[in-house]
PDB file of all heavy atoms in Angstrom:
ATOM      1  N   GLU A   1      11.577 -22.413  -1.429  1.00 48.00           N
ATOM      2  CA  GLU A   1      11.653 -23.082  -2.712  1.00 48.00           C
ATOM      3  C   GLU A   1      10.386 -22.819  -3.538  1.00 48.00           C
ATOM      4  O   GLU A   1      10.344 -23.114  -4.720  1.00 48.00           O
ATOM      5  CB  GLU A   1      11.828 -24.587  -2.494  1.00 48.00           C
ATOM      6  CG  GLU A   1      10.676 -25.203  -1.694  1.00 48.00           C
ATOM      7  CD  GLU A   1      10.944 -26.655  -1.376  1.00 48.00           C
ATOM      8  OE1 GLU A   1      12.047 -27.110  -1.677  1.00 48.00           O
ATOM      9  OE2 GLU A   1      10.033 -27.302  -0.829  1.00 48.00           O
ATOM     10  N   PHE A   2       9.320 -22.332  -2.853  1.00 47.00           N
ATOM     11  CA  PHE A   2       8.075 -22.063  -3.589  1.00 47.00           C
ATOM     12  C   PHE A   2       8.052 -20.675  -4.224  1.00 47.00           C
ATOM     13  O   PHE A   2       7.144 -20.343  -4.953  1.00 47.00           O
ATOM     14  CB  PHE A   2       6.862 -22.186  -2.633  1.00 47.00           C
ATOM     15  CG  PHE A   2       6.713 -23.572  -2.061  1.00 47.00           C
ATOM     16  CD1 PHE A   2       7.139 -23.822  -0.761  1.00 47.00           C
ATOM     17  CD2 PHE A   2       6.200 -24.598  -2.831  1.00 47.00           C
ATOM     18  CE1 PHE A   2       6.996 -25.090  -0.236  1.00 47.00           C
ATOM     19  CE2 PHE A   2       6.062 -25.856  -2.304  1.00 47.00           C
ATOM     20  CZ  PHE A   2       6.470 -26.122  -1.003  1.00 47.00           C
ATOM     21  N   PHE A   3       8.960 -19.804  -3.865  1.00 48.00           N
ATOM     22  CA  PHE A   3       8.998 -18.431  -4.404  1.00 48.00           C
ATOM     23  C   PHE A   3      10.232 -18.255  -5.268  1.00 48.00           C
ATOM     24  O   PHE A   3      11.343 -18.597  -4.850  1.00 48.00           O
ATOM     25  CB  PHE A   3       9.044 -17.402  -3.261  1.00 48.00           C
ATOM     26  CG  PHE A   3       7.809 -17.453  -2.384  1.00 48.00           C
ATOM     27  CD1 PHE A   3       7.811 -18.211  -1.218  1.00 48.00           C
ATOM     28  CD2 PHE A   3       6.681 -16.742  -2.758  1.00 48.00           C
ATOM     29  CE1 PHE A   3       6.686 -18.259  -0.416  1.00 48.00           C
ATOM     30  CE2 PHE A   3       5.562 -16.778  -1.942  1.00 48.00           C
ATOM     31  CZ  PHE A   3       5.556 -17.543  -0.781  1.00 48.00           C
ATOM     32  N   ASP A   4      10.092 -17.760  -6.414  1.00 52.00           N
ATOM     33  CA  ASP A   4      11.257 -17.415  -7.241  1.00 52.00           C
ATOM     34  C   ASP A   4      11.578 -15.950  -7.030  1.00 52.00           C
ATOM     35  O   ASP A   4      10.884 -15.230  -6.309  1.00 52.00           O
ATOM     36  CB  ASP A   4      10.992 -17.738  -8.712  1.00 52.00           C
ATOM     37  CG  ASP A   4       9.753 -17.032  -9.240  1.00 52.00           C
ATOM     38  OD1 ASP A   4       9.308 -16.046  -8.594  1.00 52.00           O
ATOM     39  OD2 ASP A   4       9.213 -17.450 -10.272  1.00 52.00           O
ATOM     40  N   PHE A   5      12.587 -15.467  -7.653  1.00 47.00           N
ATOM     41  CA  PHE A   5      13.036 -14.083  -7.465  1.00 47.00           C
ATOM     42  C   PHE A   5      11.981 -13.085  -7.914  1.00 47.00           C
ATOM     43  O   PHE A   5      11.760 -12.055  -7.285  1.00 47.00           O
ATOM     44  CB  PHE A   5      14.349 -13.872  -8.238  1.00 47.00           C
ATOM     45  CG  PHE A   5      14.848 -12.458  -8.168  1.00 47.00           C
ATOM     46  CD1 PHE A   5      15.478 -11.976  -7.023  1.00 47.00           C
ATOM     47  CD2 PHE A   5      14.639 -11.578  -9.233  1.00 47.00           C
ATOM     48  CE1 PHE A   5      15.927 -10.664  -6.971  1.00 47.00           C
ATOM     49  CE2 PHE A   5      15.082 -10.279  -9.171  1.00 47.00           C
ATOM     50  CZ  PHE A   5      15.742  -9.818  -8.040  1.00 47.00           C
ATOM     51  N   GLY A   6      11.286 -13.354  -9.014  1.00 49.00           N
ATOM     52  CA  GLY A   6      10.278 -12.420  -9.538  1.00 49.00           C
ATOM     53  C   GLY A   6       9.130 -12.240  -8.565  1.00 49.00           C
ATOM     54  O   GLY A   6       8.640 -11.132  -8.345  1.00 49.00           O
ATOM     55  N   THR A   7       8.681 -13.307  -7.924  1.00 53.00           N
ATOM     56  CA  THR A   7       7.565 -13.216  -6.965  1.00 53.00           C
ATOM     57  C   THR A   7       7.946 -12.349  -5.781  1.00 53.00           C
ATOM     58  O   THR A   7       7.178 -11.502  -5.318  1.00 53.00           O
ATOM     59  CB  THR A   7       7.177 -14.614  -6.482  1.00 53.00           C
ATOM     60  OG1 THR A   7       6.808 -15.411  -7.612  1.00 53.00           O
ATOM     61  CG2 THR A   7       5.987 -14.530  -5.522  1.00 53.00           C
ATOM     62  N   ILE A   8       9.192 -12.591  -5.241  1.00 53.00           N
ATOM     63  CA  ILE A   8       9.666 -11.798  -4.094  1.00 53.00           C
ATOM     64  C   ILE A   8       9.758 -10.327  -4.461  1.00 53.00           C
ATOM     65  O   ILE A   8       9.381  -9.437  -3.684  1.00 53.00           O
ATOM     66  CB  ILE A   8      11.035 -12.328  -3.619  1.00 53.00           C
ATOM     67  CG1 ILE A   8      10.859 -13.760  -3.085  1.00 53.00           C
ATOM     68  CG2 ILE A   8      11.620 -11.419  -2.546  1.00 53.00           C
ATOM     69  CD1 ILE A   8      12.179 -14.431  -2.728  1.00 53.00           C
ATOM     70  N   PHE A   9      10.170 -10.027  -5.683  1.00 50.00           N
ATOM     71  CA  PHE A   9      10.325  -8.638  -6.118  1.00 50.00           C
ATOM     72  C   PHE A   9       8.970  -7.921  -6.113  1.00 50.00           C
ATOM     73  O   PHE A   9       8.840  -6.806  -5.617  1.00 50.00           O
ATOM     74  CB  PHE A   9      10.936  -8.602  -7.520  1.00 50.00           C
ATOM     75  CG  PHE A   9      11.003  -7.209  -8.106  1.00 50.00           C
ATOM     76  CD1 PHE A   9      12.001  -6.314  -7.732  1.00 50.00           C
ATOM     77  CD2 PHE A   9      10.030  -6.789  -9.018  1.00 50.00           C
ATOM     78  CE1 PHE A   9      12.031  -5.033  -8.268  1.00 50.00           C
ATOM     79  CE2 PHE A   9      10.078  -5.524  -9.548  1.00 50.00           C
ATOM     80  CZ  PHE A   9      11.080  -4.638  -9.175  1.00 50.00           C
ATOM     81  N   PHE A  10       7.939  -8.584  -6.642  1.00 54.00           N
ATOM     82  CA  PHE A  10       6.616  -7.950  -6.704  1.00 54.00           C
ATOM     83  C   PHE A  10       5.990  -7.778  -5.324  1.00 54.00           C
ATOM     84  O   PHE A  10       5.277  -6.819  -5.058  1.00 54.00           O
ATOM     85  CB  PHE A  10       5.681  -8.771  -7.609  1.00 54.00           C
ATOM     86  CG  PHE A  10       5.960  -8.589  -9.080  1.00 54.00           C
ATOM     87  CD1 PHE A  10       6.439  -9.642  -9.841  1.00 54.00           C
ATOM     88  CD2 PHE A  10       5.779  -7.358  -9.702  1.00 54.00           C
ATOM     89  CE1 PHE A  10       6.718  -9.475 -11.190  1.00 54.00           C
ATOM     90  CE2 PHE A  10       6.052  -7.189 -11.053  1.00 54.00           C
ATOM     91  CZ  PHE A  10       6.529  -8.245 -11.811  1.00 54.00           C
ATOM     92  N   LEU A  11       6.251  -8.693  -4.387  1.00 54.00           N
ATOM     93  CA  LEU A  11       5.727  -8.555  -3.033  1.00 54.00           C
ATOM     94  C   LEU A  11       6.331  -7.348  -2.336  1.00 54.00           C
ATOM     95  O   LEU A  11       5.651  -6.574  -1.664  1.00 54.00           O
ATOM     96  CB  LEU A  11       6.015  -9.818  -2.220  1.00 54.00           C
ATOM     97  CG  LEU A  11       5.151 -11.045  -2.553  1.00 54.00           C
ATOM     98  CD1 LEU A  11       5.653 -12.259  -1.781  1.00 54.00           C
ATOM     99  CD2 LEU A  11       3.697 -10.765  -2.195  1.00 54.00           C
ATOM    100  N   VAL A  12       7.657  -7.212  -2.498  1.00 51.00           N
ATOM    101  CA  VAL A  12       8.340  -6.061  -1.890  1.00 51.00           C
ATOM    102  C   VAL A  12       7.824  -4.757  -2.495  1.00 51.00           C
ATOM    103  O   VAL A  12       7.567  -3.770  -1.802  1.00 51.00           O
ATOM    104  CB  VAL A  12       9.861  -6.180  -2.079  1.00 51.00           C
ATOM    105  CG1 VAL A  12      10.557  -4.898  -1.607  1.00 51.00           C
ATOM    106  CG2 VAL A  12      10.402  -7.381  -1.336  1.00 51.00           C
ATOM    107  N   ALA A  13       7.620  -4.723  -3.800  1.00 53.00           N
ATOM    108  CA  ALA A  13       7.128  -3.514  -4.470  1.00 53.00           C
ATOM    109  C   ALA A  13       5.739  -3.156  -3.986  1.00 53.00           C
ATOM    110  O   ALA A  13       5.409  -1.988  -3.764  1.00 53.00           O
ATOM    111  CB  ALA A  13       7.127  -3.720  -5.995  1.00 53.00           C
ATOM    112  N   ALA A  14       4.884  -4.153  -3.786  1.00 55.00           N
ATOM    113  CA  ALA A  14       3.525  -3.908  -3.321  1.00 55.00           C
ATOM    114  C   ALA A  14       3.500  -3.310  -1.931  1.00 55.00           C
ATOM    115  O   ALA A  14       2.720  -2.399  -1.631  1.00 55.00           O
ATOM    116  CB  ALA A  14       2.724  -5.222  -3.340  1.00 55.00           C
ATOM    117  N   VAL A  15       4.368  -3.826  -1.034  1.00 52.00           N
ATOM    118  CA  VAL A  15       4.441  -3.297   0.327  1.00 52.00           C
ATOM    119  C   VAL A  15       4.890  -1.847   0.315  1.00 52.00           C
ATOM    120  O   VAL A  15       4.358  -0.984   1.026  1.00 52.00           O
ATOM    121  CB  VAL A  15       5.385  -4.152   1.193  1.00 52.00           C
ATOM    122  CG1 VAL A  15       5.608  -3.487   2.554  1.00 52.00           C
ATOM    123  CG2 VAL A  15       4.827  -5.546   1.382  1.00 52.00           C
ATOM    124  N   VAL A  16       5.868  -1.526  -0.512  1.00 51.00           N
ATOM    125  CA  VAL A  16       6.387  -0.153  -0.602  1.00 51.00           C
ATOM    126  C   VAL A  16       5.296   0.800  -1.099  1.00 51.00           C
ATOM    127  O   VAL A  16       5.093   1.889  -0.571  1.00 51.00           O
ATOM    128  CB  VAL A  16       7.623  -0.109  -1.519  1.00 51.00           C
ATOM    129  CG1 VAL A  16       8.034   1.351  -1.766  1.00 51.00           C
ATOM    130  CG2 VAL A  16       8.766  -0.903  -0.912  1.00 51.00           C
ATOM    131  N   ILE A  17       4.605   0.374  -2.131  1.00 54.00           N
ATOM    132  CA  ILE A  17       3.548   1.227  -2.688  1.00 54.00           C
ATOM    133  C   ILE A  17       2.447   1.460  -1.672  1.00 54.00           C
ATOM    134  O   ILE A  17       1.895   2.552  -1.527  1.00 54.00           O
ATOM    135  CB  ILE A  17       2.980   0.577  -3.966  1.00 54.00           C
ATOM    136  CG1 ILE A  17       4.043   0.583  -5.074  1.00 54.00           C
ATOM    137  CG2 ILE A  17       1.720   1.307  -4.438  1.00 54.00           C
ATOM    138  CD1 ILE A  17       3.651  -0.191  -6.314  1.00 54.00           C
ATOM    139  N   PHE A  18       2.053   0.439  -0.895  1.00 51.00           N
ATOM    140  CA  PHE A  18       1.006   0.554   0.121  1.00 51.00           C
ATOM    141  C   PHE A  18       1.353   1.624   1.149  1.00 51.00           C
ATOM    142  O   PHE A  18       0.534   2.481   1.474  1.00 51.00           O
ATOM    143  CB  PHE A  18       0.816  -0.803   0.809  1.00 51.00           C
ATOM    144  CG  PHE A  18      -0.082  -0.718   2.014  1.00 51.00           C
ATOM    145  CD1 PHE A  18      -1.463  -0.599   1.885  1.00 51.00           C
ATOM    146  CD2 PHE A  18       0.453  -0.733   3.296  1.00 51.00           C
ATOM    147  CE1 PHE A  18      -2.275  -0.522   2.998  1.00 51.00           C
ATOM    148  CE2 PHE A  18      -0.364  -0.643   4.405  1.00 51.00           C
ATOM    149  CZ  PHE A  18      -1.727  -0.537   4.247  1.00 51.00           C
ATOM    150  N   PHE A  19       2.608   1.570   1.661  1.00 51.00           N
ATOM    151  CA  PHE A  19       2.996   2.564   2.671  1.00 51.00           C
ATOM    152  C   PHE A  19       3.072   3.966   2.094  1.00 51.00           C
ATOM    153  O   PHE A  19       2.758   4.954   2.762  1.00 51.00           O
ATOM    154  CB  PHE A  19       4.342   2.170   3.289  1.00 51.00           C
ATOM    155  CG  PHE A  19       4.211   1.102   4.354  1.00 51.00           C
ATOM    156  CD1 PHE A  19       4.548  -0.215   4.089  1.00 51.00           C
ATOM    157  CD2 PHE A  19       3.714   1.424   5.612  1.00 51.00           C
ATOM    158  CE1 PHE A  19       4.414  -1.194   5.059  1.00 51.00           C
ATOM    159  CE2 PHE A  19       3.579   0.448   6.586  1.00 51.00           C
ATOM    160  CZ  PHE A  19       3.930  -0.877   6.308  1.00 51.00           C
ATOM    161  N   GLN A  20       3.471   4.102   0.819  1.00 53.00           N
ATOM    162  CA  GLN A  20       3.527   5.433   0.201  1.00 53.00           C
ATOM    163  C   GLN A  20       2.120   6.020   0.049  1.00 53.00           C
ATOM    164  O   GLN A  20       1.896   7.197   0.321  1.00 53.00           O
ATOM    165  CB  GLN A  20       4.211   5.333  -1.170  1.00 53.00           C
ATOM    166  CG  GLN A  20       5.719   5.093  -1.082  1.00 53.00           C
ATOM    167  CD  GLN A  20       6.357   4.975  -2.459  1.00 53.00           C
ATOM    168  OE1 GLN A  20       5.678   4.717  -3.440  1.00 53.00           O
ATOM    169  NE2 GLN A  20       7.672   5.176  -2.512  1.00 53.00           N
ATOM    170  N   LEU A  21       1.167   5.191  -0.389  1.00 47.00           N
ATOM    171  CA  LEU A  21      -0.213   5.673  -0.524  1.00 47.00           C
ATOM    172  C   LEU A  21      -0.811   6.059   0.816  1.00 47.00           C
ATOM    173  O   LEU A  21      -1.544   7.037   0.941  1.00 47.00           O
ATOM    174  CB  LEU A  21      -1.080   4.583  -1.174  1.00 47.00           C
ATOM    175  CG  LEU A  21      -0.846   4.327  -2.664  1.00 47.00           C
ATOM    176  CD1 LEU A  21      -1.667   3.140  -3.132  1.00 47.00           C
ATOM    177  CD2 LEU A  21      -1.181   5.557  -3.484  1.00 47.00           C
ATOM    178  N   ARG A  22      -0.488   5.312   1.841  1.00 51.00           N
ATOM    179  CA  ARG A  22      -1.010   5.607   3.177  1.00 51.00           C
ATOM    180  C   ARG A  22      -0.493   6.944   3.673  1.00 51.00           C
ATOM    181  O   ARG A  22      -1.222   7.724   4.292  1.00 51.00           O
ATOM    182  CB  ARG A  22      -0.608   4.491   4.130  1.00 51.00           C
ATOM    183  CG  ARG A  22      -1.274   4.615   5.502  1.00 51.00           C
ATOM    184  CD  ARG A  22      -0.848   3.495   6.394  1.00 51.00           C
ATOM    185  NE  ARG A  22      -1.574   3.569   7.663  1.00 51.00           N
ATOM    186  CZ  ARG A  22      -1.279   2.820   8.716  1.00 51.00           C
ATOM    187  NH1 ARG A  22      -0.279   1.954   8.652  1.00 51.00           N
ATOM    188  NH2 ARG A  22      -1.983   2.924   9.829  1.00 51.00           N
ATOM    189  N   ASN A  23       0.782   7.224   3.392  1.00 50.00           N
ATOM    190  CA  ASN A  23       1.373   8.502   3.828  1.00 50.00           C
ATOM    191  C   ASN A  23       0.775   9.676   3.065  1.00 50.00           C
ATOM    192  O   ASN A  23       0.629  10.769   3.591  1.00 50.00           O
ATOM    193  CB  ASN A  23       2.888   8.471   3.642  1.00 50.00           C
ATOM    194  CG  ASN A  23       3.556   7.505   4.614  1.00 50.00           C
ATOM    195  OD1 ASN A  23       3.036   7.265   5.704  1.00 50.00           O
ATOM    196  ND2 ASN A  23       4.686   6.943   4.209  1.00 50.00           N
ATOM    197  N   VAL A  24       0.467   9.434   1.750  1.00 44.00           N
ATOM    198  CA  VAL A  24      -0.054  10.529   0.936  1.00 44.00           C
ATOM    199  C   VAL A  24      -1.535  10.790   1.217  1.00 44.00           C
ATOM    200  O   VAL A  24      -1.972  11.909   1.406  1.00 44.00           O
ATOM    201  CB  VAL A  24       0.139  10.203  -0.570  1.00 44.00           C
ATOM    202  CG1 VAL A  24      -0.570  11.257  -1.432  1.00 44.00           C
ATOM    203  CG2 VAL A  24       1.607  10.160  -0.902  1.00 44.00           C
ATOM    204  N   LEU A  25      -2.343   9.705   1.270  1.00 46.00           N
ATOM    205  CA  LEU A  25      -3.790   9.851   1.434  1.00 46.00           C
ATOM    206  C   LEU A  25      -4.225   9.960   2.877  1.00 46.00           C
ATOM    207  O   LEU A  25      -5.296  10.460   3.179  1.00 46.00           O
ATOM    208  CB  LEU A  25      -4.493   8.660   0.774  1.00 46.00           C
ATOM    209  CG  LEU A  25      -4.233   8.495  -0.727  1.00 46.00           C
ATOM    210  CD1 LEU A  25      -4.962   7.254  -1.243  1.00 46.00           C
ATOM    211  CD2 LEU A  25      -4.683   9.723  -1.483  1.00 46.00           C
ATOM    212  N   GLY A  26      -3.430   9.456   3.805  1.00 48.00           N
ATOM    213  CA  GLY A  26      -3.791   9.497   5.213  1.00 48.00           C
ATOM    214  C   GLY A  26      -4.797   8.425   5.556  1.00 48.00           C
ATOM    215  O   GLY A  26      -5.193   7.613   4.715  1.00 48.00           O
ATOM    216  N   ARG A  27      -5.241   8.430   6.794  1.00 50.00           N
ATOM    217  CA  ARG A  27      -6.209   7.460   7.279  1.00 50.00           C
ATOM    218  C   ARG A  27      -7.509   8.155   7.671  1.00 50.00           C
ATOM    219  O   ARG A  27      -7.511   9.310   8.055  1.00 50.00           O
ATOM    220  CB  ARG A  27      -5.630   6.728   8.501  1.00 50.00           C
ATOM    221  CG  ARG A  27      -4.463   5.823   8.151  1.00 50.00           C
ATOM    222  CD  ARG A  27      -3.820   5.292   9.417  1.00 50.00           C
ATOM    223  NE  ARG A  27      -3.201   6.391  10.186  1.00 50.00           N
ATOM    224  CZ  ARG A  27      -2.575   6.212  11.346  1.00 50.00           C
ATOM    225  NH1 ARG A  27      -2.519   5.022  11.890  1.00 50.00           N
ATOM    226  NH2 ARG A  27      -2.024   7.241  11.968  1.00 50.00           N
ATOM    227  N   ARG A  28      -8.650   7.438   7.563  1.00 48.00           N
ATOM    228  CA  ARG A  28      -9.949   8.009   7.936  1.00 48.00           C
ATOM    229  C   ARG A  28     -10.061   8.116   9.450  1.00 48.00           C
ATOM    230  O   ARG A  28      -9.709   7.184  10.164  1.00 48.00           O
ATOM    231  CB  ARG A  28     -11.090   7.132   7.405  1.00 48.00           C
ATOM    232  CG  ARG A  28     -11.249   7.242   5.901  1.00 48.00           C
ATOM    233  CD  ARG A  28     -12.517   6.543   5.453  1.00 48.00           C
ATOM    234  NE  ARG A  28     -12.766   6.773   4.038  1.00 48.00           N
ATOM    235  CZ  ARG A  28     -13.387   7.833   3.538  1.00 48.00           C
ATOM    236  NH1 ARG A  28     -13.833   8.760   4.370  1.00 48.00           N
ATOM    237  NH2 ARG A  28     -13.586   7.976   2.258  1.00 48.00           N
ATOM    238  N   THR A  29     -10.523   9.263   9.905  1.00 48.00           N
ATOM    239  CA  THR A  29     -10.695   9.473  11.344  1.00 48.00           C
ATOM    240  C   THR A  29     -12.169   9.643  11.716  1.00 48.00           C
ATOM    241  O   THR A  29     -12.515   9.756  12.877  1.00 48.00           O
ATOM    242  CB  THR A  29      -9.930  10.748  11.782  1.00 48.00           C
ATOM    243  OG1 THR A  29     -10.520  11.867  11.151  1.00 48.00           O
ATOM    244  CG2 THR A  29      -8.461  10.642  11.418  1.00 48.00           C
ATOM    245  N   GLY A  30     -13.027   9.752  10.665  1.00 49.00           N
ATOM    246  CA  GLY A  30     -14.451   9.992  10.930  1.00 49.00           C
ATOM    247  C   GLY A  30     -14.797  11.455  10.870  1.00 49.00           C
ATOM    248  O   GLY A  30     -15.957  11.833  10.961  1.00 49.00           O
ATOM    249  N   ASN A  31     -13.818  12.347  10.708  1.00 47.00           N
ATOM    250  CA  ASN A  31     -14.048  13.797  10.658  1.00 47.00           C
ATOM    251  C   ASN A  31     -13.822  14.370   9.267  1.00 47.00           C
ATOM    252  O   ASN A  31     -13.743  15.577   9.095  1.00 47.00           O
ATOM    253  CB  ASN A  31     -13.124  14.517  11.653  1.00 47.00           C
ATOM    254  CG  ASN A  31     -13.417  14.110  13.087  1.00 47.00           C
ATOM    255  OD1 ASN A  31     -14.578  13.974  13.465  1.00 47.00           O
ATOM    256  ND2 ASN A  31     -12.372  13.891  13.860  1.00 47.00           N
ATOM    257  N   GLU A  32     -13.698  13.500   8.267  1.00 46.00           N
ATOM    258  CA  GLU A  32     -13.413  13.996   6.926  1.00 46.00           C
ATOM    259  C   GLU A  32     -14.624  14.711   6.339  1.00 46.00           C
ATOM    260  O   GLU A  32     -15.776  14.384   6.655  1.00 46.00           O
ATOM    261  CB  GLU A  32     -13.036  12.817   5.994  1.00 46.00           C
ATOM    262  CG  GLU A  32     -11.728  12.150   6.355  1.00 46.00           C
ATOM    263  CD  GLU A  32     -11.903  11.145   7.480  1.00 46.00           C
ATOM    264  OE1 GLU A  32     -13.056  10.900   7.884  1.00 46.00           O
ATOM    265  OE2 GLU A  32     -10.893  10.629   7.967  1.00 46.00           O
ATOM    266  N   ARG A  33     -14.400  15.684   5.452  1.00 46.00           N
ATOM    267  CA  ARG A  33     -15.475  16.360   4.750  1.00 46.00           C
ATOM    268  C   ARG A  33     -16.019  15.414   3.688  1.00 46.00           C
ATOM    269  O   ARG A  33     -15.269  14.674   3.061  1.00 46.00           O
ATOM    270  CB  ARG A  33     -14.967  17.651   4.098  1.00 46.00           C
ATOM    271  CG  ARG A  33     -14.493  18.681   5.102  1.00 46.00           C
ATOM    272  CD  ARG A  33     -13.949  19.896   4.396  1.00 46.00           C
ATOM    273  NE  ARG A  33     -15.008  20.557   3.599  1.00 46.00           N
ATOM    274  CZ  ARG A  33     -14.769  21.610   2.830  1.00 46.00           C
ATOM    275  NH1 ARG A  33     -13.560  22.100   2.727  1.00 46.00           N
ATOM    276  NH2 ARG A  33     -15.744  22.160   2.155  1.00 46.00           N
ATOM    277  N   PRO A  34     -17.322  15.410   3.452  1.00 47.00           N
ATOM    278  CA  PRO A  34     -17.883  14.513   2.439  1.00 47.00           C
ATOM    279  C   PRO A  34     -17.406  14.927   1.051  1.00 47.00           C
ATOM    280  O   PRO A  34     -17.027  16.079   0.828  1.00 47.00           O
ATOM    281  CB  PRO A  34     -19.399  14.736   2.595  1.00 47.00           C
ATOM    282  CG  PRO A  34     -19.523  16.090   3.185  1.00 47.00           C
ATOM    283  CD  PRO A  34     -18.336  16.248   4.092  1.00 47.00           C
ATOM    284  N   PRO A  35     -17.429  14.000   0.101  1.00 45.00           N
ATOM    285  CA  PRO A  35     -16.996  14.333  -1.259  1.00 45.00           C
ATOM    286  C   PRO A  35     -17.925  15.344  -1.888  1.00 45.00           C
ATOM    287  O   PRO A  35     -19.111  15.425  -1.557  1.00 45.00           O
ATOM    288  CB  PRO A  35     -17.078  12.978  -1.985  1.00 45.00           C
ATOM    289  CG  PRO A  35     -18.053  12.182  -1.190  1.00 45.00           C
ATOM    290  CD  PRO A  35     -17.836  12.610   0.239  1.00 45.00           C
ATOM    291  N   PHE A  36     -17.432  16.147  -2.814  1.00 39.00           N
ATOM    292  CA  PHE A  36     -18.207  17.205  -3.463  1.00 39.00           C
ATOM    293  C   PHE A  36     -19.282  16.598  -4.352  1.00 39.00           C
ATOM    294  O   PHE A  36     -19.016  15.731  -5.185  1.00 39.00           O
ATOM    295  CB  PHE A  36     -17.279  18.084  -4.310  1.00 39.00           C
ATOM    296  CG  PHE A  36     -18.008  19.150  -5.087  1.00 39.00           C
ATOM    297  CD1 PHE A  36     -18.499  20.276  -4.453  1.00 39.00           C
ATOM    298  CD2 PHE A  36     -18.206  19.015  -6.453  1.00 39.00           C
ATOM    299  CE1 PHE A  36     -19.165  21.244  -5.161  1.00 39.00           C
ATOM    300  CE2 PHE A  36     -18.875  19.981  -7.166  1.00 39.00           C
ATOM    301  CZ  PHE A  36     -19.343  21.099  -6.514  1.00 39.00           C
TER     302      PHE A  36
END
């Protein structure tokens, strides 16, 4: 009762975007080349 439809929609969108960025950018392993 505390969440309306708009709030649920934005939460789902945020989760989707997070996983897409993780797949594109990858995760740090400690072996990355330093920035130019």
Side-chain angles (χ1 to χ4, degrees):
E1 59 186 6
F2 298 102
F3 297 95
D4 57 18
F5 177 77
T7 302
I8 295 174
F9 174 79
F10 284 114
L11 286 174
V12 173
V15 172
V16 172
I17 292 172
F18 171 76
F19 280 103
Q20 288 179 340
L21 288 174
R22 188 180 184 189
N23 291 332
V24 172
L25 300 179
R27 292 172 294 179
R28 288 189 173 275
T29 65
N31 297 319
E32 293 82 6
R33 296 177 63 184
F36 176 75

